[in-house]
Amino acid sequence: MGWLHTLRGKLIVSTILVEAVIIAAVLWNGQRLIETHLLEQFELRRKETTLLLDAALAPAMAQRDYAAVSDILQATQAINSIDYLVMFDNDGQIVATANWERQRPVPLADNPEQLLNGNGLQNFDLRIPMNIGGRQFGELQYGLDLGFLRQARADLQRQTMLIAISGLLLSALVLASIGLWLTRHLNRLTQASRRLAQGNTFQTLPESVDDDIGALTRAFNQMGSALAARVEDLQDSEREQRQLAATLSAEQARLHALLSSMRLGLLFVSPEGRVVYANPAFRQLWRLGDDDVSPGMLLGDLAQRIASDPQRLSDPYQREHLFLADGLQWELRQADERLLTQISVAVPAAPGETQEGESRLWIFEDITHERQTADRLLFMAERDPLTGLYNRSRFEGELQRLAVQFERDASLQAALLYFDLDEFKTVNDSFGHRAGDAVLLRIASEVGQLLRSNEMFARLGGDEFAVVAPGADLAAAQTLAQRIVAAVAALGFEFEGTRVRLTSSLGIALLPEHARRPEEWVARADIAMYAAKHAGKNGWRVFREELGQSAYMLAQLSWAERIQAALEQDLFELHFQGIYTTGIPVLSHLEVLLRMKDPENPGLYLMPGEFIPAAERNGRILDIDRWVLEAGIRTLARHPQLPGLAINISGRSFDDPGLPDYITGLLDTHRVAPQRLLVELTETAALSNMADTQRFISYIRGMGGSVCLDDFGVGFSSFAYLKHLDANVIKIDGMFIRNLVNSREDQVFVRAIIEVARGLGKKTVAEFVEDQATYVLLGELGVDLAQGYHLSRPCAELPDPATPLAA
């Protein structure tokens, strides 16, 4: 049938179609004339039959001679091709029939127009009245056989179709001859075009006479020459397109790999609100399968699929914000407590692209771990790592809040209960830090059960505790103090087979009766606590003005004056203890230890435990820290052969905003490399103010110095805090070293610290190394450095780093 697509084929087909339409119109008109003629013949036949029946039956009906009527009906039905006849009287009752059973229902009379609708009627039902002299005596219904009409219609249609088919065949034959004659010159152009389309080399066609075909041939030759010139250009362009397509495919593969490896869930939606792309992370975050989200699905259907599962979003409020296109960041918490953030951004159309509306990109991120870390950091910043009670920083913040609140509302009142444990130092010295930690945990638990929800319970350091009771008056404070003292005294402890009971001394200070500023309030409670201790311990006292003149107050003032005098008269002195490598003992660096000369006993020193607590209470610890830093850095400048010094910093200095610049200034002034300075922070002091500690550590490490976390392991959460305290060195607390050789538990704990430190890229130092067996075992366990009397004792003289130590 390919010839239908040729010009001659199209000419023949189009002409035949025109002929067919014309012939169809003629046939339709002929059919209409036939039907009209047949209808006229039928109407004439009907009128003749009606007149005959009316003339024959009317007299009999007028005389009610129904027998004669029946005979006339029978005779008429037999000779006039009438199917049936039924006579009705004026009451509609059948009085006579021919070829019709009386019990059968009589059909309704037909409309003559039905003869033209082509529904193939077999007969035609008519109903006529019987009248004589204008009077009706009944009605006659009869059915005419239409066979004569059907036969006449069929003959006429057959003749018409024969004429139409003959006309079409004759037209096709004539038009085919004309088309062949008109298009005989186009075959050559057709074949040449096919060869050119198949990629064959173009060959110029001979041009015919100067007619339309000749003009077409010349145009074809010009076109072929131009195409041949451009084919080469197209081939070059095709090669470039292939290279670009390969590059684009590689870029798409890289983009897909990038989007697939991202932790962020990405969902791209078209302006029509249909999903265009969802990366694997999106499916994973919402726990969707490949069939749950597919390109082309409506965003509303996807939202319904996600929200319908209670394991994804159980909160109706959360469901309302799913796929909210407001450009804001929303947090969506799933039923399993996973927390996702959602944000949407509008995606502009590409250059030259026109679109109605805007596409949007939804970005989802699982921040569960980050939020837990933030909550943990907040907890660590406010809590004591050992007991879980509030720390000093949070305690001081609560006092400041109450002081500000009192300035706004003078009717406010509150009580501060300040207490410590009597003879707690004896427990630590006799049974070790583990026993002391157990005591502190038990005290925190028992006393915590006595407090109300609005009362703050804090551990301020060591065995010092404080309770802040908002709204409490003197009577309520005294009642609570008695309960606390009694609860502590009732506790019993057993260490190494020895039964131990501890007592407490507690002081009470009221706001605003005894103080209005936080530091005064703490000082008054501290004075009252000392008074209770001076009165025999295991009791409590309320602050009174006369207590300010007590021996405790005088002692505190005396220590403040003595520290000031030591700073002014240069009574502080640095001592040094070496820290050595394990295996072959080589000096790594020195730790700076502070001593105070006793002016009353020349040649003797006061140890830090005697004056540092007082310095922390009266705030002079900041001055001492700066003195030690200056003296240590000056020592490094005078002795360039020293590998480095480790200097201890008090926890009170972390929140000193000027300390980092002070350290930098000292290093610059004395031209000491920051790498030779190692700052030591005790674990408990560092964790008491996590935020300030992190900033301080970041500054020291940023300028090139090192940070050592001292007394590591004294808290039960030490390993968790290593993630947030980016120290270079970890010093293992001596409680795990003293009995290391004989204690399997200590060995297990030290191994754990070493493994964690190595995994985090940190060095380890063991202190309190008192014998050769401990030193050897530390080397076998993998500790990097060691410190203790077995290796060197603290002294004011600097050791010679070049001299090896025979351990």
Side-chain angles (χ1 to χ4, degrees):
M1 301 295 290
W3 66 272
L4 290 175
H5 300 287
T6 64
L7 178 58
R8 70 184 64 166
K10 292 179 180 178
L11 287 173
I12 294 172
V13 171
S14 59
T15 306
I16 291 175
L17 288 176
V18 172
E19 290 288 337
V21 170
I22 295 174
I23 293 174
V26 172
L27 289 175
W28 174 81
N29 186 59
Q31 182 69 20
R32 184 175 61 82
L33 294 175
I34 291 171
E35 296 293 340
T36 302
H37 175 71
L38 291 176
L39 184 60
E40 291 175 352
Q41 292 296 318
F42 169 78
E43 186 63 22
L44 179 61
R45 180 75 170 271
R46 183 186 67 80
K47 289 181 179 180
E48 291 176 352
T49 304
T50 300
L51 290 174
L52 291 173
L53 290 173
D54 184 56
L57 294 174
M61 286 297 297
Q63 298 175 7
R64 299 181 183 273
D65 186 357
Y66 297 143
V69 170
S70 178
D71 293 339
I72 293 171
L73 295 180
Q74 294 291 338
T76 302
Q77 190 269 334
I79 64 175
N80 290 289
S81 300
I82 296 176
D83 288 343
Y84 70 92
L85 295 99
V86 178
M87 177 62 73
F88 298 89
D89 60 14
N90 287 335
D91 295 330
Q93 299 296 320
I94 298 174
V95 297
T97 64
N99 197 32
W100 189 264
E101 297 179 2
R102 288 176 178 266
Q103 61 272 21
R104 289 176 58 192
V106 179
L108 298 176
D110 293 319
N111 190 332
E113 296 295 333
Q114 291 179 281
L115 294 173
L116 302 177
N117 61 8
N119 59 0
L121 293 175
Q122 298 298 319
N123 54 28
F124 195 87
D125 299 308
L126 299 101
R127 195 161 185 162
I128 59 176
M130 296 286 103
N131 298 314
I132 297 179
R135 180 182 176 187
Q136 182 174 334
F137 293 96
E139 290 182 333
L140 175 65
Q141 180 166 328
Y142 62 93
L144 285 176
D145 185 3
L146 300 180
F148 73 97
L149 289 178
R150 292 193 298 273
Q151 183 63 37
R153 176 186 290 168
D155 293 341
L156 291 174
Q157 288 176 346
R158 187 163 47 251
Q159 294 174 5
T160 304
M161 291 300 297
L162 181 60
I163 294 172
I165 293 172
S166 299
L168 284 175
L169 291 176
L170 181 59
S171 298
L173 180 61
V174 172
L175 291 174
S177 300
I178 295 173
L180 180 61
W181 179 78
L182 289 176
T183 59
R184 67 186 187 279
H185 296 293
L186 296 178
N187 288 334
R188 187 174 55 193
L189 286 171
T190 302
Q191 296 300 325
S193 298
R194 287 200 182 105
R195 289 195 300 272
L196 189 61
Q198 293 171 358
N200 295 328
T201 303
F202 171 71
Q203 296 178 353
T204 304
L205 296 177
E207 299 179 3
S208 61
V209 296
D210 192 9
D211 56 8
D212 293 340
I213 299 299
L216 180 61
T217 303
R218 285 190 296 273
F220 177 81
N221 289 333
Q222 294 173 359
M223 179 193 69
S225 299
L227 287 176
R230 294 182 182 178
V231 164
E232 186 175 354
D233 294 338
L234 288 175
Q235 290 175 346
D236 295 339
S237 176
E238 181 183 5
R239 285 191 293 271
E240 293 179 0
Q241 291 295 329
R242 285 200 187 102
Q243 293 175 354
L244 290 175
T247 303
L248 179 59
S249 177
E251 291 294 335
Q252 289 178 338
R254 284 192 287 269
L255 178 60
H256 180 72
L258 174 63
L259 295 177
S260 300
S261 63
M262 291 180 66
R263 291 179 58 250
L264 298 177
L266 303 179
L267 179 70
F268 186 78
V269 179
S270 68
E272 296 79 18
R274 293 187 177 274
V275 174
V276 177
Y277 175 77
N279 71 339
F282 174 82
R283 293 183 174 87
Q284 183 179 5
L285 290 176
W286 288 109
R287 293 188 172 91
L288 296 171
D290 292 338
D291 298 335
D292 294 330
V293 51
S294 58
M297 74 180 303
L298 290 172
L299 181 63
D301 295 341
L302 177 59
Q304 178 64 27
R305 183 167 297 179
I306 293 175
S308 62
D309 188 349
Q311 296 301 318
R312 297 191 181 105
L313 290 177
S314 58
D315 186 358
Y317 177 78
Q318 299 274 315
R319 298 192 196 109
E320 293 177 0
H321 294 88
L322 180 62
F323 299 132
L324 193 61
D326 55 3
L328 301 177
Q329 179 168 305
W330 293 97
E331 293 185 355
L332 304 176
R333 187 174 295 278
Q334 299 192 349
D336 59 359
E337 295 303 318
R338 290 190 307 128
L339 188 62
L340 305 183
T341 59
Q342 166 192 279
I343 189 171
S344 68
V345 295
V347 180
E353 180 182 359
T354 59
Q355 63 180 28
E356 295 182 1
E358 60 182 8
S359 302
R360 296 200 73 85
L361 175 66
W362 269 270
I363 304 173
F364 296 86
E365 183 178 9
D366 187 344
I367 62 168
T368 307
H369 177 71
E370 288 78 1
R371 181 57 56 84
Q372 291 173 347
T373 300
D375 293 342
R376 186 63 180 169
L377 286 174
L378 178 61
F379 179 86
M380 289 159 40
E382 295 185 343
R383 298 284 181 164
D384 171 58
L386 174 62
T387 62
L389 302 177
Y390 288 108
N391 58 21
R392 180 183 289 275
S393 176
R394 180 67 178 85
F395 165 74
E396 292 174 349
E398 178 67 10
L399 297 187
Q400 186 64 38
R401 186 189 68 82
L402 289 174
V404 172
Q405 188 176 352
F406 173 75
E407 292 178 358
R408 299 174 181 173
D409 183 5
S411 64
L412 175 69
Q413 59 182 3
L416 173 60
L417 285 67
Y418 203 94
F419 71 94
D420 69 1
L421 304 179
D422 303 323
E423 307 303 332
F424 177 74
K425 187 174 183 301
T426 303
V427 174
N428 263 342
D429 294 342
S430 302
F431 305 106
H433 287 285
R434 291 186 187 178
D437 289 349
V439 170
L440 296 176
L441 283 168
R442 183 80 178 279
I443 295 297
S445 174
E446 295 296 331
V447 175
Q449 297 178 19
L450 305 176
L451 305 181
R452 295 179 298 180
S453 60
N454 68 327
E455 295 172 341
M456 171 182 280
F457 189 19
R459 179 191 175 204
L460 306 182
D463 63 333
E464 294 183 353
F465 297 87
V467 176
V468 181
D473 56 11
L474 178 60
Q478 290 175 329
T479 300
L480 180 58
Q482 181 60 40
R483 295 173 63 189
I484 292 175
V485 171
V488 173
L491 296 177
F493 302 91
E494 182 173 348
F495 304 113
E496 299 178 4
T498 303
R499 295 286 298 176
V500 176
R501 285 190 178 274
L502 296 178
T503 59
S504 62
S505 299
L506 185 147
I508 301 173
L510 303 177
L511 177 75
E513 180 178 346
H514 298 143
R516 298 192 177 188
R517 293 187 296 124
E519 57 272 16
E520 292 179 350
W521 199 8
V522 173
R524 301 296 190 272
D526 195 17
I527 291 172
M529 180 188 73
Y530 187 82
K533 196 177 294 289
H534 187 70
K537 305 178 182 179
N538 194 25
W540 53 269
R541 289 290 185 273
V542 180
F543 174 77
R544 301 191 310 274
E545 288 297 333
E546 56 269 24
L547 293 179
Q549 305 300 322
S550 65
Y552 169 81
M553 193 62 180
L554 293 176
Q556 297 303 309
L557 291 175
S558 174
W559 269 119
E561 293 175 355
R562 295 173 69 180
I563 292 173
Q564 180 63 31
L567 290 170
E568 294 176 352
Q569 300 173 19
D570 198 20
L571 297 180
F572 286 117
E573 184 177 293
L574 297 184
H575 285 207
F576 308 92
Q577 185 176 24
I579 299 176
Y580 295 85
T581 58
T582 54
I584 299 176
V586 176
L587 182 65
S588 171
H589 59 278
L590 300 170
E591 181 178 4
V592 173
L593 305 172
L594 183 62
R595 304 289 186 261
M596 180 192 288
K597 300 175 184 177
D598 189 351
E600 299 178 359
N601 299 288
L604 297 180
Y605 295 99
L606 297 175
M607 304 303 288
E610 299 181 65
F611 57 85
I612 290 298
E616 290 179 339
R617 288 192 180 93
N618 57 39
R620 303 313 302 271
I621 188 64
L622 302 179
D623 298 324
I624 294 177
D625 282 345
R626 293 199 173 206
W627 186 94
V628 173
L629 282 167
E630 182 179 6
I633 294 174
R634 195 167 55 243
T635 301
L636 288 172
R638 288 199 303 261
H639 301 277
Q641 77 280 5
L642 287 179
L645 290 180
I647 300 177
N648 289 277
I649 297 295
S650 168
R652 294 289 297 275
S653 294
F654 295 162
D655 56 358
D656 180 3
L659 185 61
D661 291 337
Y662 179 74
I663 295 175
T664 303
L666 289 175
L667 293 171
D668 292 342
T669 300
H670 296 285
R671 298 182 180 179
V672 173
Q675 291 76 13
R676 299 175 66 199
L677 176 64
L678 188 147
V679 178
E680 286 198 5
L681 314 173
T682 61
E683 179 187 356
T684 53
L687 297 178
S688 65
N689 193 338
M690 181 66 69
D692 288 337
T693 302
Q694 286 179 314
R695 284 194 294 269
F696 184 76
I697 292 176
S698 296
Y699 185 89
I700 296 298
R701 297 202 60 178
M703 72 178 187
S706 301
V707 178
C708 175
L709 192 60
D710 197 5
D711 297 337
F712 184 80
V714 296
F716 287 96
S717 303
S718 299
F719 290 115
Y721 298 139
L722 279 181
K723 294 170 56 179
H724 311 293
L725 296 177
D726 191 19
N728 307 78
V729 183
I730 296 174
K731 181 177 287 189
I732 305 171
D733 188 74
M735 61 182 291
F736 303 107
I737 307 301
R738 288 190 180 96
N739 196 33
L740 182 66
V741 175
N742 302 315
S743 173
R744 180 177 177 276
E745 292 80 4
D746 287 341
Q747 294 175 17
V748 171
F749 201 94
V750 170
R751 282 195 184 95
I753 295 176
I754 295 170
E755 290 299 324
V756 171
R758 283 180 176 173
L760 297 176
K762 305 178 188 300
K763 288 186 176 182
T764 51
V765 181
E767 60 181 356
F768 289 93
V769 179
E770 309 295 335
D771 53 58
Q772 177 67 13
T774 302
Y775 177 76
V776 172
L777 181 56
L778 288 172
E780 295 173 354
L781 294 177
V783 174
D784 299 298
L785 305 171
Q787 174 184 7
Y789 283 1
H790 174 67
L791 300 169
S792 67
R793 292 178 175 270
C795 64
E797 300 296 330
L798 289 170
D800 184 0
T803 304
L805 182 69

